[in-house]
Amino acid sequence: MAIPTVVPYTVASDMLSIKEIRDQLKATGHPVTADDIERWIREQDLYVEKYRRDVYVSYSDILMAHQEHVGSQN
């Protein structure tokens, strides 16, 4: 009998570096700094991957945090 596997982490293609995410969010009209993104990672205890000197995090998770950030400014 096969059982489904629960994968607690995001798909690898969704992982971007903090620098890449910062650059993507510039186009939204609500740019943020790398420090903002790092704070969201800590506050929401988001899963990260470290490769060499870069930190990778789920772009989808950061988009949700960004949405909360923009919504709280109104």
Side-chain angles (χ1 to χ4, degrees), residues 16 18 21-22 25 32 36-38 40-41 44 46 57-68:
L16 295 176
I18 291 174
I21 292 172
R22 182 197 62 209
L25 294 177
V32 296
D36 292 330
I37 297 168
E38 290 170 359
W40 299 337
I41 292 169
Q44 298 186 16
L46 299 178
V57 63
S58 166
Y59 186 55
S60 299
D61 289 345
I62 295 299
L63 284 177
M64 295 302 293
H66 185 253
Q67 178 184 5
E68 291 174 18

Side-chain angles (χ1 to χ4, degrees), residues 1-72:
M1 175 161 119
I3 59 172
T5 304
V6 177
V7 179
Y9 307 117
T10 58
V11 178
S13 63
D14 188 36
M15 302 293 276
L16 295 176
S17 72
I18 291 174
K19 294 174 187 176
E20 291 171 321
I21 292 172
R22 182 197 62 209
D23 292 344
Q24 289 288 322
L25 294 177
K26 282 182 184 178
T28 66
H30 301 280
V32 296
T33 64
D35 290 337
D36 292 330
I37 297 168
E38 290 170 359
R39 186 180 72 249
W40 299 337
I41 292 169
R42 284 191 309 276
E43 289 175 353
Q44 298 186 16
D45 194 29
L46 299 178
Y47 174 75
V48 298
E49 285 278 339
K50 294 180 181 177
Y51 181 71
R52 297 187 179 162
R53 293 179 179 249
D54 292 325
V55 175
Y56 292 82
V57 63
S58 166
Y59 186 55
S60 299
D61 289 345
I62 295 299
L63 284 177
M64 295 302 293
H66 185 253
Q67 178 184 5
E68 291 174 18
H69 170 73
V70 171
S72 70

